[in-house]
Amino acid sequence: MRLRALLDTDALGLRLLGGEDELDRTVRGVMTTDLRDPSRYLSGGELVLTGLAWRRDAADSEPFVRILAQAGVAALAAGEAELGDIPEDLVTACARHRLPLFAVHESVAFATITEHVVRQVSGERAGDLAAVVDRHRRMMTSGPAGGGPDVVLDLLGSDLDLRAWVLSPTGRLIAGSEAAGPALPAELCAKLAAEHLAAARTGRRGPHRVPVGPATYSLFPIRSSGRSPQAARDVRETVLSDWVLAVEADAGDWAEERLDLLQGVTQLIAVERDRRDAARTVRRRLAQEVLELVQTGAAPAEIAARLRVAAPVLLPGLGAAPHWQVVVARVEWDGGETRTGPVAQSLLEEILVDPLATGPEPSDRIAVAHSGDEAIALVPLPAVSAEHDGSETGVLADTLLAAVREPLSAGLDGDGRVTLGVSAAVHSAEGLRGALEEARHARRVAAARTGRVCAAGHQELASHVLLLPFVPDDVRRAFTARLLDPLRDYDRRHRAELIPTLEAFLECDGSWTRCASRLHLHVNTLRYRVGRIEQLTGRDLSRLEDKLDFFLALRMS
């Protein structure tokens, strides 16, 4: 807004004391101060309001006005409540530095002026930004994108002073404006993504407001530009794949015009999202073709030929065929009626991105297909780095889990699960079928565990412990009760600690001296306890079969 407009508003009680030739200056904000040197709080273009408490004598006016002029403020408005008439030395100093000066009538509160200026400036900025957003949207729908989400967020920062970021459903930072400053901490990104997913599951209309310490963040869902919120049959079909716009502001008291503007910004970013999804089509098709060949038992030579086509697309410039890993994901909802294959596909494409990677396109080396309710990813590993140990240099189940557990658990909201299985690295087409089966089996191991988000890797398939989750519950209870209940009953009656003694004895591989040392017992006392265990259970702890039965019973209990 212009300074001239302030004089046209009688309710503000402003009287011009000097600077009539400067009334076309633009006001970009307002600040109230009685500091002798407020320069560190000024950025230029402000209307400065002051009660003159900084002025002790006439000599103070010149340095105060000089500081304001050097900071580029638009004008100074001094209140008459403290001194009555505005001092002549202040009028002279403002004239010398060509700084417009207003007197504020004692009946008018500074808050009234501040509210008026902020409302006018925000409205003008919003109108200007809305025009820019609309123009940018028309450009993008008819041609290539112009800079990605960052450009749109920079508009929010420069025109509305809003710090904003785009986050994936797993909390990965996709974009942020330069005005937003340093990147959000990973923990905060995960928290905001979790809050967004949890709120989206309730069906409440955004934005969702999240207080974090002294700040409040407003979360706006970013849906496909061609899809309305009602287009999906069930919110669960999209909640795990939608991006979110996080704005550091409380949108609870925003006017409808500003809310509509932010919705327009989300639609603009959604166009970028759709372009990225379209670019994934080739990689998805490659994965689907390889998967069909593997599952139908095609000859290794045919699969190898298809991989040679895929390798340059996924690892451009590599030259040699890479090693490969297979990752399988499944999304399951209570009721089982919701389509989950496409959701699992989009989610797995995001999960496999390095959590520290930023930007909308870091997943251009991942090919994911879906078959029924299952998503299957082909992850290429450069052969030179995978020669030593693919499990160390490739995808690790624990790493995947740590990066996505918090936000996804919120999105699943008590009625869904995500389970992941990871294969070892293979270096030829012959190994892909085994890798696929390995990843599927690992996913079934993960599914047998408790928790909303679970993962298992190929390393876990080499132990007999893998069999335990698949033992029916009634069999587990009967087996453990038969072996351990007599010991538990005896411990309750006599405080004999037979169960801890049994655990330590097995962990020490039946070594009397090591076990006695660990338990701080005399060997004879240990022999007495082991004898009591054998007497109560009818088992012989010198026999391998009985040791194994006790071991499994303890693991299943």
Side-chain angles (χ1 to χ4, degrees), residues 502-515 518 541-542 544 547 551:
L502 176 61
E503 291 175 334
F505 188 72
L506 294 176
E507 288 173 3
C508 293
D509 299 322
S511 169
W512 296 100
T513 54
R514 281 196 289 127
C515 184
R518 173 183 291 192
L541 277 170
S542 65
L544 177 60
K547 285 181 182 176
F551 176 81

Side-chain angles (χ1 to χ4, degrees), residues 453-497:
V453 185
C454 299
H458 63 92
Q459 303 94 332
E460 300 175 61
L461 305 185
S463 170
H464 62 276
V465 178
L466 131 80
L467 301 174
L468 299 185
F470 301 100
V471 178
D473 287 344
D474 55 344
V475 176
R476 291 160 66 100
R477 285 192 294 268
F479 182 75
T480 57
R482 188 163 54 249
L483 278 176
L484 301 183
D485 279 2
L487 306 182
R488 291 175 178 142
D489 291 342
Y490 191 87
D491 280 347
R492 276 195 297 270
R493 293 196 310 269
H494 303 284
R495 298 182 181 180
E497 298 188 354

Side-chain angles (χ1 to χ4, degrees), residues 379-442:
V379 182
L381 305 174
V384 65
S385 65
E387 284 175 355
H388 304 292
D389 183 355
S391 65
E392 292 296 329
T393 58
V395 177
L396 299 175
D398 289 346
T399 303
L400 292 183
L401 201 58
V404 303
R405 180 189 279 122
E406 178 185 353
L408 292 186
S409 295
L412 296 164
D413 192 32
D415 68 345
R417 297 194 75 203
V418 172
T419 50
L420 303 162
V422 183
S423 79
V426 296
H427 64 278
S428 67
E430 291 89 342
L432 269 184
R433 185 175 182 83
L436 176 58
E437 291 305 316
E438 190 174 56
R440 282 175 165 163
H441 198 46

Side-chain angles (χ1 to χ4, degrees), residues 176-348:
S177 65
E178 292 184 5
L184 288 179
E187 297 80 7
L188 179 54
C189 288
K191 177 177 176 58
L192 293 178
E195 293 284 353
H196 160 66
L197 292 175
R201 287 298 312 281
T202 67
R204 288 188 289 115
R205 183 185 176 189
H208 311 298
R209 296 152 59 203
V210 181
V212 181
T216 296
Y217 295 84
S218 297
L219 308 179
F220 296 80
I222 300 172
R223 299 184 175 92
S224 170
S225 60
R227 190 184 80 234
S228 68
Q230 293 77 29
R233 294 180 305 171
D234 190 322
V235 68
R236 297 180 298 185
E237 293 181 16
T238 58
V239 69
L240 297 181
S241 57
D242 284 339
W243 288 354
V244 59
L245 174 66
V247 180
E248 189 180 2
D250 188 345
D253 56 357
W254 282 5
E256 283 297 322
E257 292 81 3
R258 177 169 281 212
L259 289 173
D260 290 343
L261 173 62
L262 265 294
Q263 295 296 346
V265 169
T266 65
Q267 294 168 13
L268 195 56
I269 296 173
V271 174
E272 293 283 357
R273 170 71 184 271
D274 290 345
R275 292 184 186 279
R276 186 216 56 171
D277 286 344
R280 285 180 169 176
T281 302
V282 173
R283 297 191 293 276
R284 288 176 171 177
R285 188 171 64 248
L286 285 171
Q288 199 73 44
E289 292 173 353
V290 173
L291 174 62
E292 290 175 359
L293 290 174
V294 171
Q295 294 191 127
T296 56
E302 188 177 357
I303 300 174
R306 206 76 211 117
L307 289 176
R308 282 195 293 272
V309 173
V313 176
L314 300 177
L315 287 175
L318 184 66
H323 287 58
W324 300 90
Q325 273 184 289
V326 176
V327 181
V328 173
R330 190 181 182 97
V331 176
E332 298 172 292
W333 300 104
D334 292 353
E337 298 177 357
T338 305
R339 297 174 299 169
T340 59
V343 176
Q345 182 180 42
S346 296
L347 183 60
L348 188 53

